């Protein structure tokens, strides 16, 4: 059976709060549907307005513009946040601090956009359990851990043992720590380049990295 066409309403005049929220959610859901379908049937008219077929780049830009200008009330709404960040995780940056420390919202945001961790609250990026799980699922996520975690030797050792490449995101002090660097180069010397100049000058460490 042919897919039912989904329309996006165009706003005229100053929207009410509920209309503002609805429009943001509609645009976000359209983009999610488009992405999930692989965009294959977009040109076939699967998703249209009443007058024209939609350009996904245009809808994405309209969504970002709408979120960047949204009211404080809309940016404090969890339902809006969940819909929007599912379409573009980086739009997390516009939402309230409360929502940026909402683990459910952050998890949706980083599902397809790892870099959205940058906009999560400090409390989430400092949470050992959250960042350990995030690093297990996608090790470059450690880049967005808080400076405190990146400087926590016990935590960094734990992460480096699993994924040696995370050494590059450790604090300067830990990239100059012989124990940490030796752990990182155990499985191969490619990560030796992330060590400090001092550690790279040590013959015993250099030999381990060969």
């Amino acid at each position: 059976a042919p897919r039912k066409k989904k329309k996006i309403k165009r706003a005229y005049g100053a929207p009410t709060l509920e209309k503002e929220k609805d429009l943001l959610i509609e645009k976000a859901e359209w983009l999610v549907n488009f992405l999930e379908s692989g965009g294959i049937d977009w040109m076939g008219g699967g998703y249209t307005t009443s007058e024209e077929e939609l350009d996904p780049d245009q809808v994405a830009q309209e969504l970002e513009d709408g979120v960047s200008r949204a009211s404080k009330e809309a940016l404090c709404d969890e339902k809006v946040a969940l819909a929007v960040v599912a379409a573009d995780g980086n739009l997390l940056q516009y939402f309230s601090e409360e929502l940026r420390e909402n683990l459910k919202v952050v998890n949706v945001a980083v599902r397809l956009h790892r870099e959205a961790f940058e906009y999560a609250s400090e409390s989430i990026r400092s949470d050992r359990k959250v960042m350990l799980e995030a690093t297990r699922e996608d090790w470059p996520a450690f880049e967005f851990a808080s400076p405190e975690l990146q400087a926590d030797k016990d935590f960094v050792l734990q992460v480096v043992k699993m994924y040696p490449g995370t050494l590059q995101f450790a604090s300067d002090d830990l990239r100059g720590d012989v124990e940490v660097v030796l752990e990182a180069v155990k499985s191969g010397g490619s990560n030796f380049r992330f060590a400090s100049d001092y550690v790279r000058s040590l013959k015993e460490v250099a030999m381990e990295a060969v």
Side-chain angles (χ1 to χ4, degrees):
R3 180 178 297 195
K4 184 178 180 181
K5 293 182 179 181
K6 181 170 181 174
K7 299 176 181 180
I8 292 181
K9 300 170 186 175
R10 301 296 187 188
Y12 299 97
T16 63
L17 177 58
E18 289 309 310
K19 184 184 290 186
E20 177 187 27
K21 292 179 182 180
D22 287 345
L23 285 170
L24 291 174
I25 290 171
E26 285 180 15
K27 291 179 189 298
E29 289 181 343
W30 186 91
L31 283 169
V32 170
N33 285 332
F34 175 80
L35 292 170
E36 289 180 346
S37 70
I40 295 172
D41 61 357
W42 168 62
M43 290 302 291
Y47 300 94
T48 69
T49 63
S50 57
E51 301 172 344
E52 59 182 313
E53 293 199 2
L54 295 172
D55 178 344
D57 291 333
Q58 179 185 344
V59 177
Q61 188 60 58
E62 288 178 359
L63 178 62
E64 181 172 2
D65 290 345
V67 173
S68 67
R69 296 195 301 262
S71 65
K72 180 179 178 181
E73 291 79 8
L75 295 177
C76 290
D77 189 292
E78 183 182 47
K79 183 179 178 182
V80 174
L82 286 169
V84 168
V85 301
D88 184 348
N90 289 315
L91 297 182
L92 177 65
Q93 64 186 291
Y94 294 107
F95 287 90
S96 67
E97 177 69 16
E98 181 179 356
L99 289 175
R100 288 187 289 113
E101 62 183 18
N102 181 316
L103 191 54
K104 181 164 68 169
V105 172
V106 172
N107 280 338
V108 172
V110 302
R111 190 175 297 155
L112 296 177
H113 302 88
R114 174 207 314 140
E115 65 276 13
F117 256 123
E118 179 181 357
Y119 307 115
S121 69
E122 185 80 6
S123 63
I124 282 185
R125 293 186 296 110
S126 299
D127 188 301
R128 296 170 71 93
K129 182 178 179 181
V130 170
M131 292 311 303
L132 184 61
E133 183 61 29
T135 303
R136 281 189 178 128
E137 292 183 4
D138 185 19
W139 70 262
F142 188 55
E143 177 182 2
F144 304 106
S146 68
E148 289 76 16
L149 272 188
Q150 292 175 340
D152 184 315
K153 183 173 179 178
D154 289 341
F155 187 79
V156 170
L157 276 171
Q158 186 177 4
V159 169
V160 164
K161 284 178 182 178
M162 296 188 296
Y163 304 104
T166 54
L167 176 65
Q168 65 189 288
F169 305 126
S171 67
D172 289 345
D173 285 347
L174 291 183
R175 287 188 289 109
D177 185 288
V178 173
E179 182 182 4
V180 172
V181 174
L182 282 173
E183 190 62 53
V185 300
K186 274 183 179 178
S187 59
S190 62
N191 296 301
F192 188 53
R193 67 188 187 276
F194 302 125
S196 69
D197 290 342
Y198 164 70
V199 172
R200 284 189 284 113
S201 72
L202 299 176
K203 186 177 295 185
E204 64 271 27
V205 181
M207 290 178 63
E208 285 290 332
V210 174

